Amino acid sequence: MKAILHCDRKWGIGKHNDLMFRLPLDMKFFRETTSGKVVVMGSNTLLSFPGGKPLKNRTNIVLWPGGDAARAEADGFVMTETPDGLLSEIKKYPPDDVFVVGGAMMYRTLLPYCSHVLLTKVDADGGAETFFPNLDELPGWSLAAESEPVADNGYTIRFCTYENSEVKPL
């Protein structure tokens, strides 16, 4: 399993249940990387999508305690109500096909199970309210690859891959 996201220079990932930046190159990378794959999220992340609908062309797994099973069926996403149920659902898919896409609680919960984090670093302060753990300071995590700086909608970004040498089995 992998996590995929962007963060600002302070490891901030969001504010007001939304992204801090509109980054077309980053969104293209996200779409191309996760298309045809499995995306795992919390209910607030699902609700932050246009119309509160799941991402197209992907299997969407949503942790939603007390969520509406009829809505999940109608909208075409897999809903689990407990963290154990979520882990059981994730186990059904090849690990390389599973991407954690948010939010902050979901990243914190599943990060130990992730082999990689695909992180777009934005060289700016987005005024975040929610943050991702600083992988440069976490035991077991190391920067495996980093792109050259790229301009994206007025911001400088770098596509980074972090590896976890201490992956916790599901």
Side-chain angles (χ1 to χ4, degrees):
M1 177 166 45
K2 300 173 183 138
I4 186 168
L5 67 149
H6 74 244
C7 73
D8 71 6
R9 65 172 66 118
K10 295 180 179 178
W11 295 85
I13 60 172
K15 63 181 176 185
H16 309 305
N17 200 35
D18 200 3
L19 300 173
M20 298 176 298
F21 309 102
R22 298 290 170 228
L23 303 168
L25 291 176
D26 180 54
M27 291 302 285
K28 180 178 186 239
F29 174 73
F30 178 90
R31 271 191 318 276
E32 289 175 352
T33 303
T34 63
S35 184
K37 306 291 185 187
V38 178
V39 291
V40 179
M41 69 198 79
S43 56
N44 283 339
T45 298
L46 173 69
L47 295 173
S48 75
F49 295 155
K53 300 289 186 188
L55 296 175
K56 294 177 183 169
N57 227 11
R58 298 159 187 90
T59 299
N60 290 249
I61 302 174
V62 181
L63 175 60
W64 197 341
D68 182 349
R71 177 182 174 190
E73 174 91 19
D75 286 351
F77 63 90
V78 177
M79 186 187 84
T80 65
E81 293 196 59
T82 66
D84 286 343
L86 179 70
L87 294 177
S88 293
E89 189 62 35
I90 291 169
K91 284 183 195 178
K92 296 177 183 178
Y93 301 92
D96 282 344
D97 287 352
V98 179
F99 291 86
V100 182
V101 299
M105 181 278 299
M106 190 63 57
Y107 287 127
R108 278 193 306 276
T109 301
L110 296 178
L111 189 60
Y113 303 97
C114 291
S115 62
H116 294 83
V117 172
L118 307 179
L119 181 68
T120 302
K121 288 185 177 179
V122 183
D123 188 16
D125 182 345
E129 297 171 338
T130 55
F131 294 84
F132 194 79
N134 181 337
L135 296 178
D136 294 324
E137 297 176 355
L138 273 187
W141 287 94
S142 60
L143 180 63
E146 183 175 35
S147 75
E148 291 298 317
V150 179
D152 193 2
N153 200 25
Y155 297 98
T156 301
I157 65 171
R158 290 179 186 262
F159 295 99
C160 301
T161 301
Y162 281 83
E163 289 182 344
N164 182 2
S165 65
E166 301 174 3
V167 180
K168 186 176 176 179
L170 286 172

